[in-house]
Amino acid sequence: MVERAESTAASGAEQDVPGAGDGRRGRVLAALAVALAGVMAFHRWVPNAVGRVGSLLESFLPWVGVLVVVLLVVALVRRSAVALVAVLLPVGVWVHLFGGLLLPAAASGEQELVVVQHNVSDENRDPAATAQALIEAGADLVALEELVVPQLSVYEKALAADYPHHVVRGTVGLWSKHPLSGERLVDIKPSGIAEGWSRSVRAVVDSPYGNIAAYVAHLPSVRVGAGGLASERRDESAELLGRAIAAESVDTVILLGDLNGAVEDRGLAPLTSRLNVAERGFAFSFPASLPLARIDQVMARSATVGHIRTLPATGSDHLPVAARVTLG
C-alpha cells in the first residue's frame, strides 16, 4: 500500500511539473518541422516507382509552405521556443526554393519579347472573346492549344490583323507579329496512341533580335487516382520533345505549351534540364476556377524568362500566362 501511494504521488508530481506537456508538444512540432524541411529539400529522393508519388509531391511542392505557416502559428500559440526555432528550418528551405519567385519583376530589357501561352479548351463557348483577350496582352507571340473545328477558324479570323503570321499543326498553333519560316510538325506522340495525334509544332521566328526557334507543345494529360499519379505518357512525350529541342540547330529556343506538369516535376526533366524556366512569378494557371499549379509553361534556351504572370480568365479551364523573354 505504501509503494502504491508513493507511485501515485510521483505520477501526480510529474503531471504537475509546469510546462512538461508543452515541452512534449514542442518536440512533436519541432519533429514535424524538420520532416517538412526534409521533404522539400530532398523531394527528388521521394520514390516514383509506385504511383509516381515523387512527381505528385513536386506538382504541388510550393503549397507545402502552407503547412509550414500552420506549424509556425501553432508554435506561436504554444509559445514553444524549441518549435519556433525548428520551424525556421522549413521556412529557410521554402525561401531558398521559391522565394525568388516572389521578387518584383526586373525592368524591361532592350532585347525583349512578350509571349502568351494559352490552352483555349476544346469546350470554349466564346473563342472570339478569348482571342480578343489575348490580343489585349500585346504579345509578340501567342501559342494556343486545343484548337478544334470550328473554333480554329474563329481564332484565325480574330487574330489575323494583329498577328499576320501563323502556323497550325493538329490542335496546336503559333501566331506571330514577326515572319515565320521552317514550320514543321514535331513528333511527340507516345506509344499506344493512334495515328493522327498531333500536338507540337516548330517554327523559326524572324524577330528583330535574330532567329528564334519557337516550339508549341501540348503534352498528354495526367490523372490523379487511387493508384497515384498516372503520368507515363506525359513523361514519354516530354522525353521526345526534349530530344527534338536538343537537336535544334537554331541557338535561341522558346518553348510555349500546356506541359501538364509543374517545373519542379521530375517528369519534365528532359525539358527543364535543357531550358531556362521563369525566374519571377508563380502564375498558377490550372484549374482556372481555383488555380493550384502552373502547368502552362514558358521556357527558353540562350534566353531568359524573366517574369511570368497569369492573365484574366477566358472561356477556358486554364488561365492564360504571359512572360517576358530577354534575348542575347
Side-chain angles (χ1 to χ4, degrees):
M1 293 293 293
V2 174
E3 291 180 357
R4 182 177 300 176
E6 290 177 348
S7 175
T8 302
S11 177
E14 182 179 344
Q15 292 176 0
D16 291 338
V17 173
D22 289 341
R24 284 192 292 272
R25 285 190 288 268
R27 289 193 291 273
V28 171
L29 290 174
L32 290 174
V34 172
L36 280 180
V39 166
M40 287 190 291
F42 304 105
H43 59 89
R44 294 295 187 198
W45 291 13
V46 178
N48 233 10
V50 178
R52 282 174 159 71
V53 176
S55 283
L56 181 60
L57 166 66
E58 290 161 348
S59 297
F60 302 100
L61 195 60
W63 293 102
V64 177
V66 174
L67 299 179
V68 176
V69 172
V70 171
L71 283 182
L72 178 60
V73 171
V74 174
L76 288 171
V77 170
R78 294 294 183 185
R79 298 181 180 180
S80 171
V82 172
L84 283 171
V85 171
V87 169
L88 293 178
L89 184 58
V91 168
V93 174
W94 192 93
V95 170
H96 172 72
L97 292 174
F98 304 110
L101 298 177
L102 296 172
L103 296 176
S108 299
E110 293 183 0
Q111 297 188 18
E112 184 176 88
L113 294 179
V114 176
V115 301
V116 164
Q117 148 60 28
H118 191 29
N119 179 328
V120 294
S121 176
D122 55 7
E123 298 180 351
N124 193 321
R125 296 182 178 180
D126 196 352
T130 297
Q132 184 58 41
L134 299 177
I135 290 170
E136 292 173 0
D140 296 274
L141 303 176
V142 175
L144 304 181
E145 299 84 44
E146 293 199 11
L147 295 169
V148 294
V149 177
Q151 294 179 8
L152 173 57
S153 60
V154 177
Y155 290 111
E156 290 178 324
K157 181 179 179 180
L159 295 171
D162 293 270
Y163 298 93
H165 312 282
H166 86 282
V167 56
V168 175
R169 292 291 187 275
T171 57
V172 300
L174 175 69
W175 276 257
S176 173
K177 290 186 176 181
H178 313 294
L180 300 176
S181 62
E183 302 95 333
R184 62 176 170 81
L185 172 71
V186 180
D187 185 8
I188 62 169
K189 182 174 71 66
S191 58
I193 292 183
E195 293 297 329
W197 190 93
S198 176
R199 285 189 172 187
S200 186
V201 65
R202 173 260 194 196
V204 176
V205 181
D206 182 12
S207 84
Y209 317 115
N211 286 344
I212 300 167
Y215 285 73
V216 181
H218 184 190
L219 300 190
S221 299
V222 301
R223 295 288 183 269
V224 180
L229 187 72
S231 63
E232 294 87 346
R233 286 181 171 176
R234 191 277 313 270
D235 296 351
E236 183 181 350
S237 194
E239 179 64 36
L240 293 171
L241 181 57
R243 292 177 190 173
I245 291 174
E248 174 59 58
S249 59
V250 178
D251 288 339
T252 304
V253 173
I254 298 178
L255 169 63
L256 307 104
D258 173 5
L259 304 186
N260 273 303
V263 295
E264 293 80 21
D265 187 340
R266 70 194 70 177
L268 297 187
L271 301 171
T272 54
S273 63
R274 294 181 170 103
L275 302 169
N276 300 319
V277 301
E279 297 179 346
R280 301 285 187 271
F282 281 99
F284 295 138
S285 62
F286 183 83
S289 57
L290 181 64
L292 295 174
R294 186 177 81 233
I295 62 176
D296 296 276
Q297 306 292 354
V298 177
M299 304 181 188
R301 184 179 78 188
S302 298
T304 301
V305 185
H307 182 260
I308 191 167
R309 61 188 176 90
T310 56
L311 300 177
T314 67
S316 172
D317 55 345
H318 291 241
L319 294 178
V321 298
R324 299 203 323 246
V325 180
T326 302
L327 309 171

PDB file of all heavy atoms in Angstrom, residues 150-174:
ATOM      1  N   PRO A 150     -15.173  23.957 -84.993  1.00  0.00           N
ATOM      2  CA  PRO A 150     -14.981  25.141 -85.851  1.00  0.00           C
ATOM      3  C   PRO A 150     -14.292  26.306 -85.149  1.00  0.00           C
ATOM      4  O   PRO A 150     -14.206  27.396 -85.717  1.00  0.00           O
ATOM      5  CB  PRO A 150     -16.431  25.499 -86.202  1.00  0.00           C
ATOM      6  CG  PRO A 150     -17.184  25.172 -84.946  1.00  0.00           C
ATOM      7  CD  PRO A 150     -16.525  23.943 -84.377  1.00  0.00           C
ATOM      8  N   GLN A 151     -13.795  26.123 -83.934  1.00  0.00           N
ATOM      9  CA  GLN A 151     -13.183  27.227 -83.209  1.00  0.00           C
ATOM     10  C   GLN A 151     -11.939  27.772 -83.912  1.00  0.00           C
ATOM     11  O   GLN A 151     -11.654  28.970 -83.847  1.00  0.00           O
ATOM     12  CB  GLN A 151     -12.813  26.780 -81.792  1.00  0.00           C
ATOM     13  CG  GLN A 151     -13.984  26.433 -80.902  1.00  0.00           C
ATOM     14  CD  GLN A 151     -13.537  25.970 -79.521  1.00  0.00           C
ATOM     15  OE1 GLN A 151     -12.359  26.047 -79.180  1.00  0.00           O
ATOM     16  NE2 GLN A 151     -14.476  25.481 -78.727  1.00  0.00           N
ATOM     17  N   LEU A 152     -11.191  26.891 -84.572  1.00  0.00           N
ATOM     18  CA  LEU A 152      -9.942  27.304 -85.203  1.00  0.00           C
ATOM     19  C   LEU A 152     -10.157  28.478 -86.153  1.00  0.00           C
ATOM     20  O   LEU A 152      -9.394  29.446 -86.141  1.00  0.00           O
ATOM     21  CB  LEU A 152      -9.321  26.124 -85.939  1.00  0.00           C
ATOM     22  CG  LEU A 152      -8.079  26.441 -86.785  1.00  0.00           C
ATOM     23  CD1 LEU A 152      -6.982  27.074 -85.934  1.00  0.00           C
ATOM     24  CD2 LEU A 152      -7.571  25.191 -87.478  1.00  0.00           C
ATOM     25  N   SER A 153     -11.181  28.407 -86.980  1.00  0.00           N
ATOM     26  CA  SER A 153     -11.424  29.481 -87.938  1.00  0.00           C
ATOM     27  C   SER A 153     -11.737  30.798 -87.237  1.00  0.00           C
ATOM     28  O   SER A 153     -11.401  31.875 -87.747  1.00  0.00           O
ATOM     29  CB  SER A 153     -12.570  29.098 -88.880  1.00  0.00           C
ATOM     30  OG  SER A 153     -13.774  28.872 -88.149  1.00  0.00           O
ATOM     31  N   VAL A 154     -12.363  30.720 -86.065  1.00  0.00           N
ATOM     32  CA  VAL A 154     -12.653  31.935 -85.295  1.00  0.00           C
ATOM     33  C   VAL A 154     -11.354  32.581 -84.826  1.00  0.00           C
ATOM     34  O   VAL A 154     -11.172  33.807 -84.932  1.00  0.00           O
ATOM     35  CB  VAL A 154     -13.568  31.611 -84.094  1.00  0.00           C
ATOM     36  CG1 VAL A 154     -13.805  32.864 -83.247  1.00  0.00           C
ATOM     37  CG2 VAL A 154     -14.887  31.026 -84.561  1.00  0.00           C
ATOM     38  N   TYR A 155     -10.438  31.781 -84.306  1.00  0.00           N
ATOM     39  CA  TYR A 155      -9.148  32.324 -83.862  1.00  0.00           C
ATOM     40  C   TYR A 155      -8.358  32.894 -85.030  1.00  0.00           C
ATOM     41  O   TYR A 155      -7.752  33.969 -84.912  1.00  0.00           O
ATOM     42  CB  TYR A 155      -8.331  31.239 -83.152  1.00  0.00           C
ATOM     43  CG  TYR A 155      -8.893  30.851 -81.808  1.00  0.00           C
ATOM     44  CD1 TYR A 155      -9.463  29.593 -81.600  1.00  0.00           C
ATOM     45  CD2 TYR A 155      -8.869  31.732 -80.732  1.00  0.00           C
ATOM     46  CE1 TYR A 155      -9.991  29.241 -80.368  1.00  0.00           C
ATOM     47  CE2 TYR A 155      -9.389  31.385 -79.497  1.00  0.00           C
ATOM     48  CZ  TYR A 155      -9.960  30.133 -79.327  1.00  0.00           C
ATOM     49  OH  TYR A 155     -10.492  29.784 -78.104  1.00  0.00           O
ATOM     50  N   GLU A 156      -8.353  32.184 -86.134  1.00  0.00           N
ATOM     51  CA  GLU A 156      -7.601  32.662 -87.303  1.00  0.00           C
ATOM     52  C   GLU A 156      -8.127  34.011 -87.771  1.00  0.00           C
ATOM     53  O   GLU A 156      -7.347  34.921 -88.103  1.00  0.00           O
ATOM     54  CB  GLU A 156      -7.664  31.627 -88.419  1.00  0.00           C
ATOM     55  CG  GLU A 156      -6.858  30.372 -88.114  1.00  0.00           C
ATOM     56  CD  GLU A 156      -6.950  29.324 -89.199  1.00  0.00           C
ATOM     57  OE1 GLU A 156      -8.044  29.190 -89.800  1.00  0.00           O
ATOM     58  OE2 GLU A 156      -5.938  28.653 -89.465  1.00  0.00           O
ATOM     59  N   LYS A 157      -9.437  34.168 -87.810  1.00  0.00           N
ATOM     60  CA  LYS A 157     -10.028  35.429 -88.252  1.00  0.00           C
ATOM     61  C   LYS A 157      -9.784  36.545 -87.245  1.00  0.00           C
ATOM     62  O   LYS A 157      -9.419  37.670 -87.610  1.00  0.00           O
ATOM     63  CB  LYS A 157     -11.530  35.238 -88.478  1.00  0.00           C
ATOM     64  CG  LYS A 157     -12.242  36.490 -88.962  1.00  0.00           C
ATOM     65  CD  LYS A 157     -13.723  36.215 -89.193  1.00  0.00           C
ATOM     66  CE  LYS A 157     -14.444  37.474 -89.663  1.00  0.00           C
ATOM     67  NZ  LYS A 157     -15.902  37.218 -89.897  1.00  0.00           N
ATOM     68  N   ALA A 158      -9.959  36.238 -85.954  1.00  0.00           N
ATOM     69  CA  ALA A 158      -9.848  37.267 -84.925  1.00  0.00           C
ATOM     70  C   ALA A 158      -8.410  37.754 -84.739  1.00  0.00           C
ATOM     71  O   ALA A 158      -8.176  38.933 -84.437  1.00  0.00           O
ATOM     72  CB  ALA A 158     -10.392  36.743 -83.602  1.00  0.00           C
ATOM     73  N   LEU A 159      -7.445  36.868 -84.905  1.00  0.00           N
ATOM     74  CA  LEU A 159      -6.043  37.215 -84.641  1.00  0.00           C
ATOM     75  C   LEU A 159      -5.307  37.725 -85.881  1.00  0.00           C
ATOM     76  O   LEU A 159      -4.177  38.217 -85.764  1.00  0.00           O
ATOM     77  CB  LEU A 159      -5.303  35.989 -84.093  1.00  0.00           C
ATOM     78  CG  LEU A 159      -5.774  35.468 -82.731  1.00  0.00           C
ATOM     79  CD1 LEU A 159      -5.103  34.133 -82.409  1.00  0.00           C
ATOM     80  CD2 LEU A 159      -5.478  36.480 -81.630  1.00  0.00           C
ATOM     81  N   ALA A 160      -5.918  37.628 -87.044  1.00  0.00           N
ATOM     82  CA  ALA A 160      -5.215  37.900 -88.298  1.00  0.00           C
ATOM     83  C   ALA A 160      -4.628  39.304 -88.372  1.00  0.00           C
ATOM     84  O   ALA A 160      -3.483  39.491 -88.816  1.00  0.00           O
ATOM     85  CB  ALA A 160      -6.160  37.656 -89.481  1.00  0.00           C
ATOM     86  N   ALA A 161      -5.383  40.310 -87.967  1.00  0.00           N
ATOM     87  CA  ALA A 161      -4.915  41.691 -88.116  1.00  0.00           C
ATOM     88  C   ALA A 161      -3.695  41.971 -87.251  1.00  0.00           C
ATOM     89  O   ALA A 161      -2.750  42.655 -87.694  1.00  0.00           O
ATOM     90  CB  ALA A 161      -6.045  42.659 -87.769  1.00  0.00           C
ATOM     91  N   ASP A 162      -3.690  41.478 -86.030  1.00  0.00           N
ATOM     92  CA  ASP A 162      -2.583  41.748 -85.110  1.00  0.00           C
ATOM     93  C   ASP A 162      -1.435  40.762 -85.280  1.00  0.00           C
ATOM     94  O   ASP A 162      -0.288  41.082 -84.949  1.00  0.00           O
ATOM     95  CB  ASP A 162      -3.090  41.695 -83.670  1.00  0.00           C
ATOM     96  CG  ASP A 162      -4.042  42.825 -83.355  1.00  0.00           C
ATOM     97  OD1 ASP A 162      -3.569  43.894 -82.918  1.00  0.00           O
ATOM     98  OD2 ASP A 162      -5.252  42.646 -83.558  1.00  0.00           O
ATOM     99  N   TYR A 163      -1.755  39.561 -85.774  1.00  0.00           N
ATOM    100  CA  TYR A 163      -0.738  38.521 -85.930  1.00  0.00           C
ATOM    101  C   TYR A 163      -0.834  37.953 -87.349  1.00  0.00           C
ATOM    102  O   TYR A 163      -1.488  36.933 -87.578  1.00  0.00           O
ATOM    103  CB  TYR A 163      -0.949  37.424 -84.878  1.00  0.00           C
ATOM    104  CG  TYR A 163      -0.797  37.945 -83.465  1.00  0.00           C
ATOM    105  CD1 TYR A 163      -1.914  38.388 -82.755  1.00  0.00           C
ATOM    106  CD2 TYR A 163       0.454  38.046 -82.867  1.00  0.00           C
ATOM    107  CE1 TYR A 163      -1.778  38.905 -81.478  1.00  0.00           C
ATOM    108  CE2 TYR A 163       0.596  38.561 -81.591  1.00  0.00           C
ATOM    109  CZ  TYR A 163      -0.517  38.994 -80.904  1.00  0.00           C
ATOM    110  OH  TYR A 163      -0.379  39.507 -79.630  1.00  0.00           O
ATOM    111  N   PRO A 164      -0.191  38.617 -88.295  1.00  0.00           N
ATOM    112  CA  PRO A 164      -0.332  38.217 -89.699  1.00  0.00           C
ATOM    113  C   PRO A 164       0.355  36.903 -90.056  1.00  0.00           C
ATOM    114  O   PRO A 164       0.123  36.357 -91.138  1.00  0.00           O
ATOM    115  CB  PRO A 164       0.311  39.378 -90.462  1.00  0.00           C
ATOM    116  CG  PRO A 164       1.265  39.992 -89.473  1.00  0.00           C
ATOM    117  CD  PRO A 164       0.641  39.825 -88.136  1.00  0.00           C
ATOM    118  N   HIS A 165       1.174  36.378 -89.155  1.00  0.00           N
ATOM    119  CA  HIS A 165       1.906  35.141 -89.435  1.00  0.00           C
ATOM    120  C   HIS A 165       1.470  34.071 -88.434  1.00  0.00           C
ATOM    121  O   HIS A 165       1.475  34.313 -87.223  1.00  0.00           O
ATOM    122  CB  HIS A 165       3.414  35.371 -89.322  1.00  0.00           C
ATOM    123  CG  HIS A 165       3.883  36.597 -90.051  1.00  0.00           C
ATOM    124  ND1 HIS A 165       4.047  36.635 -91.415  1.00  0.00           N
ATOM    125  CD2 HIS A 165       4.184  37.850 -89.583  1.00  0.00           C
ATOM    126  CE1 HIS A 165       4.458  37.848 -91.786  1.00  0.00           C
ATOM    127  NE2 HIS A 165       4.549  38.599 -90.691  1.00  0.00           N
ATOM    128  N   HIS A 166       1.095  32.909 -88.939  1.00  0.00           N
ATOM    129  CA  HIS A 166       0.718  31.848 -88.020  1.00  0.00           C
ATOM    130  C   HIS A 166       0.887  30.484 -88.665  1.00  0.00           C
ATOM    131  O   HIS A 166       0.942  30.350 -89.891  1.00  0.00           O
ATOM    132  CB  HIS A 166      -0.712  32.042 -87.500  1.00  0.00           C
ATOM    133  CG  HIS A 166      -1.779  31.469 -88.374  1.00  0.00           C
ATOM    134  ND1 HIS A 166      -2.217  32.082 -89.529  1.00  0.00           N
ATOM    135  CD2 HIS A 166      -2.509  30.329 -88.256  1.00  0.00           C
ATOM    136  CE1 HIS A 166      -3.167  31.367 -90.088  1.00  0.00           C
ATOM    137  NE2 HIS A 166      -3.360  30.280 -89.343  1.00  0.00           N
ATOM    138  N   VAL A 167       0.987  29.476 -87.797  1.00  0.00           N
ATOM    139  CA  VAL A 167       1.099  28.093 -88.241  1.00  0.00           C
ATOM    140  C   VAL A 167       0.304  27.225 -87.281  1.00  0.00           C
ATOM    141  O   VAL A 167       0.317  27.461 -86.068  1.00  0.00           O
ATOM    142  CB  VAL A 167       2.576  27.635 -88.298  1.00  0.00           C
ATOM    143  CG1 VAL A 167       3.277  27.831 -86.961  1.00  0.00           C
ATOM    144  CG2 VAL A 167       2.679  26.187 -88.736  1.00  0.00           C
ATOM    145  N   VAL A 168      -0.409  26.263 -87.828  1.00  0.00           N
ATOM    146  CA  VAL A 168      -1.183  25.324 -87.022  1.00  0.00           C
ATOM    147  C   VAL A 168      -0.863  23.919 -87.486  1.00  0.00           C
ATOM    148  O   VAL A 168      -0.824  23.648 -88.696  1.00  0.00           O
ATOM    149  CB  VAL A 168      -2.705  25.577 -87.146  1.00  0.00           C
ATOM    150  CG1 VAL A 168      -3.489  24.501 -86.402  1.00  0.00           C
ATOM    151  CG2 VAL A 168      -3.059  26.956 -86.612  1.00  0.00           C
ATOM    152  N   ARG A 169      -0.605  23.038 -86.544  1.00  0.00           N
ATOM    153  CA  ARG A 169      -0.427  21.618 -86.831  1.00  0.00           C
ATOM    154  C   ARG A 169      -1.261  20.846 -85.814  1.00  0.00           C
ATOM    155  O   ARG A 169      -1.052  20.978 -84.603  1.00  0.00           O
ATOM    156  CB  ARG A 169       1.043  21.187 -86.729  1.00  0.00           C
ATOM    157  CG  ARG A 169       1.944  21.770 -87.802  1.00  0.00           C
ATOM    158  CD  ARG A 169       1.640  21.188 -89.174  1.00  0.00           C
ATOM    159  NE  ARG A 169       2.601  21.627 -90.185  1.00  0.00           N
ATOM    160  CZ  ARG A 169       2.518  22.771 -90.868  1.00  0.00           C
ATOM    161  NH1 ARG A 169       1.491  23.592 -90.623  1.00  0.00           N
ATOM    162  NH2 ARG A 169       3.416  23.090 -91.775  1.00  0.00           N
ATOM    163  N   GLY A 170      -2.200  20.071 -86.313  1.00  0.00           N
ATOM    164  CA  GLY A 170      -3.065  19.340 -85.398  1.00  0.00           C
ATOM    165  C   GLY A 170      -3.876  20.292 -84.548  1.00  0.00           C
ATOM    166  O   GLY A 170      -4.593  21.154 -85.061  1.00  0.00           O
ATOM    167  N   THR A 171      -3.728  20.189 -83.243  1.00  0.00           N
ATOM    168  CA  THR A 171      -4.520  21.015 -82.316  1.00  0.00           C
ATOM    169  C   THR A 171      -3.696  22.111 -81.640  1.00  0.00           C
ATOM    170  O   THR A 171      -4.137  22.694 -80.646  1.00  0.00           O
ATOM    171  CB  THR A 171      -5.157  20.129 -81.225  1.00  0.00           C
ATOM    172  OG1 THR A 171      -4.130  19.411 -80.534  1.00  0.00           O
ATOM    173  CG2 THR A 171      -6.146  19.153 -81.832  1.00  0.00           C
ATOM    174  N   VAL A 172      -2.499  22.398 -82.158  1.00  0.00           N
ATOM    175  CA  VAL A 172      -1.668  23.457 -81.578  1.00  0.00           C
ATOM    176  C   VAL A 172      -1.291  24.459 -82.658  1.00  0.00           C
ATOM    177  O   VAL A 172      -1.189  24.120 -83.840  1.00  0.00           O
ATOM    178  CB  VAL A 172      -0.396  22.893 -80.899  1.00  0.00           C
ATOM    179  CG1 VAL A 172      -0.759  21.933 -79.784  1.00  0.00           C
ATOM    180  CG2 VAL A 172       0.513  22.209 -81.916  1.00  0.00           C
ATOM    181  N   GLY A 173      -1.077  25.706 -82.246  1.00  0.00           N
ATOM    182  CA  GLY A 173      -0.733  26.725 -83.217  1.00  0.00           C
ATOM    183  C   GLY A 173       0.084  27.848 -82.612  1.00  0.00           C
ATOM    184  O   GLY A 173       0.098  28.056 -81.390  1.00  0.00           O
ATOM    185  N   LEU A 174       0.757  28.589 -83.480  1.00  0.00           N
ATOM    186  CA  LEU A 174       1.580  29.729 -83.081  1.00  0.00           C
ATOM    187  C   LEU A 174       1.205  30.914 -83.958  1.00  0.00           C
ATOM    188  O   LEU A 174       1.186  30.808 -85.189  1.00  0.00           O
ATOM    189  CB  LEU A 174       3.067  29.413 -83.248  1.00  0.00           C
ATOM    190  CG  LEU A 174       4.039  30.560 -82.975  1.00  0.00           C
ATOM    191  CD1 LEU A 174       4.047  30.909 -81.485  1.00  0.00           C
ATOM    192  CD2 LEU A 174       5.454  30.202 -83.441  1.00  0.00           C
TER     193      LEU A 174
END
